[in-house]
Amino acid sequence: MEPQAPPATHEVTNQVPPLENYNLFECDTTLTAAVEREGADWHAQALARDGAALGTPEALGLAASANRHLPELFTFSPRGERIDALEFHPSWHRLLALLRQEGLHALPFDTPRAGAMAARCAGYFLHGQLESGSLCPLTMTFASIPVLQREPALFAQIADKLYAREHDPSDAPLALKRSMMVGMGMTEKQGGSDVRTNQTRATAAASTTGRGGEYRLMGHKWFFSAPQCDAHLVLARTHADAALSCFYVPRFAPDGARNAIRIQRLKDKLGNRSNASGEVEFVDAYGIMVGDEGRGVPTIIEMANYTRLDCVIGSAALMRAALVQAIHHARHRVAFSRKLVDQPLMRNVLADLSLESEAATVLFMRLARAFDARLAAARTGAAESDLERAWRRIMTPAAKFWVCKRALEFTGEAMEVWGGNGYVEEGPMARLYREAPVNSIWEGSGNVMCLDVLRALERDPQAAHALIADWRADAHETSALARALDALEATLGASAEQREAAARALAQQLVLCAQAVLLLRTAPAQHAQAFAATRLAAVDAGLACGRVYGTLPAAFDHGAIVEHAFGA
């Protein structure tokens, strides 16, 4: 007798199709407008091409595979030789190849022209919506370039490898490679962000000491990102009482032997799992001093300023990715006889999320303009304006604090739109949520950023005054902004101890005022008004709004805001 198929238990309906085959650039009205506004429209065609490629099922599959097949450490060869080798899934290398071919590791430096930083930031934002772990080594390579450019002899040897647009995954001496990646090694067990407690020692290996001299390093790094890079910039002391110096430590020594950098283990991280982060020990490892002796922290801070900008962009990218997934879901999922997107309360949530994402996007693109201005001033020998210096030096750490913090809450809210399906690893929302905390921690946690904002304000009051004066020009358009600026100036006028205790509130005030001003200048009027009325804590007409998303006043057209955010 023929076996009979079991009876069907149910028909699969009301499940949302995957979001794919959409153009990440062209569907983002805020980003496309910002690219033109910030002088990067010459790169718009490349961004549109890349945006289409990143929305394909094939590209989306790379992100899922790289986070499913994690990197592995092989400490020894089968014969017992120390090799400290890492193995990645092919999807990881394909992601790095996509990033590299778009020039996101070097664009403003190998293509120095107006708007180059804005062009690069927009491209980085697109790739950040696809996968976060692959951004880490690319960011550090990008941020190392301005530091290494100041070492002419060293830079001449590696410039072609740094600028190359081909990803070379081979683990070999640099002379045998087509391109290279550069990582960082700053923190140690006993100090974390307090790098001035570092104990790693560097001993001169030749008679030439100081800048450009060869050294041997003994010590450890608690977070070494990412250990497969071809070189790292690390901090060490030349003697016990010396201030920290910066060293370029290659993966292979000049004689072609593997440098004595022992990878102890890889970190088992909450998120960013496709990328390897390790703990290492230096056992007489070869290095070259970069920058002046005892000036390691100021030297590497130049690198950190660029990585902090990328933290802002990376968090904004997570927000954008979560937002479009939430809107797509709401447009297809039916609950209580209506699509979610047609239900007023859900529209309020989505509109509120849309405003937050829009504000983050215009903010990082404005920061890109300030970094562009810095590069232009360096090329021409002109002075950087007070206003642009304020955006770069004061607003970058403030933005890193606030946008990275908001991404945590944002991705959780977007996951909730998906309901239970958002909480399982088969979909994208769980990965976005796990990725969200890293940018708040990396390159200085929240308190470190806020204290850096305070230092910048105190060291450069002229830039701070230029910033607030510029914003005052828009205060007549909304009473909420005028009151917020008054509160900000009152905080700035408090005693030093009071300012430090209120540093988080101060950073928040700075960013919210900045975002409100930028939206007033660039966004549809009701977007700017809704943001100012809520984020600036206005209590106009008896409307009080808290931090929970979905509390926009009914006076605003929630559906129109959502449609503007993702009209695809």
Side-chain angles (χ1 to χ4, degrees):
M1 201 174 161
E2 291 282 334
Q4 294 186 345
T9 62
H10 67 286
E11 181 183 355
V12 178
T13 62
N14 198 27
Q15 287 290 309
V16 176
L19 174 59
E20 56 190 24
N21 293 318
Y22 70 106
N23 190 310
L24 277 69
F25 179 68
E26 292 183 344
C27 75
D28 191 338
T29 306
T30 300
L31 182 65
T32 54
V35 165
E36 181 177 0
R37 183 171 62 251
E38 304 303 343
D41 49 331
W42 51 269
H43 198 60
Q45 187 173 353
L47 290 168
R49 171 185 46 74
D50 196 28
L54 294 175
T56 63
E58 293 76 18
L60 297 168
L62 292 175
S65 293
N67 282 272
R68 190 166 55 249
H69 304 284
L70 307 187
E72 292 185 79
L73 170 63
F74 295 90
T75 310
F76 297 95
S77 75
R79 296 174 299 280
E81 302 156 318
R82 185 86 193 212
I83 56 174
D84 295 291
L86 286 93
E87 184 176 293
F88 291 83
H89 191 265
S91 56
W92 164 263
H93 293 297
R94 182 63 186 136
L95 287 166
L96 284 172
L98 290 173
L99 286 159
R100 194 126 193 166
Q101 75 185 23
E102 296 302 320
L104 302 180
H105 63 296
L107 185 62
F109 305 115
D110 67 6
T111 310
R113 60 177 294 182
M117 183 65 78
R120 186 263 175 188
C121 289
Y124 187 94
F125 177 65
L126 296 180
H127 281 257
Q129 296 172 52
L130 178 65
E131 204 280 322
S132 295
S134 52
L135 299 180
C136 178
L138 182 112
T139 281
M140 293 184 297
T141 301
F142 168 71
S144 74
I145 292 175
V147 174
L148 294 170
Q149 282 178 330
R150 295 176 182 168
E151 309 299 323
L154 175 60
F155 192 71
Q157 299 174 37
I158 62 176
D160 60 331
K161 305 289 197 303
L162 276 173
Y163 288 158
R165 295 205 172 190
E166 179 183 2
H167 171 59
D168 186 342
S170 62
D171 187 19
L174 198 54
L176 304 178
K177 296 192 62 169
R178 299 180 298 278
S179 64
M180 71 179 296
M181 295 190 300
V182 179
M184 296 175 72
M186 296 176 66
T187 61
E188 297 181 5
K189 291 185 179 80
Q190 70 283 349
S193 295
D194 187 5
V195 296
R196 287 173 174 81
T197 67
N198 282 12
Q199 299 171 355
T200 298
R201 293 285 294 273
T203 305
S207 57
T208 302
T209 61
R211 192 169 194 160
E214 297 182 347
Y215 286 78
R216 295 288 178 177
L217 278 67
M218 289 287 293
H220 82 282
K221 296 297 170 185
W222 187 229
F223 280 91
F224 202 62
S225 301
Q228 75 275 12
C229 288
D230 300 283
H232 287 78
L233 293 179
V234 307
L235 295 174
R237 303 181 189 279
T238 53
H239 56 82
D241 298 324
L244 292 164
S245 298
C246 182
F247 295 87
Y248 170 90
V249 181
R251 185 151 167 77
F252 287 82
D255 62 2
R258 194 177 297 277
N259 205 359
I261 307 166
R262 307 295 189 226
I263 304 176
Q264 302 303 101
R265 62 173 178 169
L266 299 184
K267 298 287 192 182
D268 185 7
K269 297 172 292 183
L270 167 68
N272 215 248
R273 296 179 68 82
S274 67
N275 178 46
S277 302
E279 301 168 20
V280 304
E281 291 183 351
F282 304 125
V283 187
D284 209 29
Y286 172 86
I288 299 172
M289 186 179 288
V290 172
D292 293 329
E293 185 169 354
R295 297 286 296 167
V297 173
T299 297
I300 214 159
I301 280 294
E302 176 76 8
M303 186 176 183
N305 285 336
Y306 285 97
T307 56
R308 288 171 179 176
L309 173 61
D310 276 5
C311 286
V312 179
I313 305 170
S315 289
L318 288 173
M319 293 161 71
R320 174 68 186 176
L323 173 66
V324 297
Q325 289 287 352
I327 294 174
H328 174 76
H329 183 89
R331 285 173 174 166
H332 289 82
R333 181 74 169 177
V334 174
F336 310 109
S337 303
R338 283 191 297 175
K339 287 183 178 179
L340 290 175
V341 76
D342 294 328
Q343 301 186 26
L345 185 54
M346 179 58 77
R347 277 204 307 269
N348 195 329
V349 172
L350 294 173
D352 216 350
L353 291 170
S354 298
L355 286 180
E356 193 76 28
S357 176
E358 183 175 3
T361 299
V362 295
L363 178 62
F364 82 71
M365 287 298 285
R366 180 59 183 87
L367 293 175
R369 185 198 307 178
F371 278 79
D372 259 325
R374 170 73 181 275
L375 293 175
R379 287 195 302 269
T380 63
E384 186 180 19
S385 74
D386 292 339
L387 180 60
E388 296 306 321
R389 191 172 66 255
W391 275 100
R392 180 181 56 82
R393 185 62 190 89
I394 298 169
M395 291 309 303
T396 299
K400 183 195 178 298
F401 164 71
W402 184 246
V403 175
C404 296
K405 284 275 186 262
R406 295 301 278 162
L408 286 158
E409 188 176 351
F410 190 107
T411 51
E413 191 70 60
M415 178 190 289
E416 191 172 323
V417 173
W418 273 48
N421 284 355
Y423 198 67
V424 298
E425 294 287 353
E426 290 175 318
M429 304 304 273
R431 174 161 52 86
L432 297 176
Y433 185 70
R434 284 188 287 101
E435 291 290 357
V438 69
N439 286 325
S440 273
I441 298 169
W442 191 46
E443 292 300 355
S445 58
N447 283 0
V448 173
M449 289 300 96
C450 294
L451 293 174
D452 194 30
V453 171
L454 276 185
R455 281 191 294 271
L457 288 166
E458 290 164 0
R459 291 176 180 177
D460 197 349
Q462 190 170 334
H465 291 152
L467 191 67
I468 295 174
D470 181 61
W471 295 347
R472 280 285 183 194
D474 296 274
H476 67 279
E477 294 191 34
T478 168
S479 58
L481 177 59
R483 291 196 300 274
L485 289 172
D486 290 341
L488 174 60
E489 291 194 298
T491 305
L492 289 172
S495 69
E497 185 174 348
Q498 289 173 324
R499 284 199 305 272
E500 182 171 340
R504 284 191 171 215
L506 176 58
Q508 175 182 330
Q509 287 173 305
L510 279 166
V511 176
L512 291 178
C513 287
Q515 290 178 320
V517 167
L518 293 172
L519 290 176
L520 283 167
R521 294 175 179 177
T522 67
Q526 78 158 344
H527 295 209
Q529 292 162 7
F531 186 92
T534 54
R535 273 53 170 195
L536 297 183
V539 192
D540 294 330
L543 299 173
C545 300
R547 286 189 56 192
V548 177
Y549 289 110
T551 57
L552 289 179
F556 298 105
D557 187 340
H558 304 154
I561 294 173
V562 174
E563 192 67 23
H564 182 272
F566 187 44

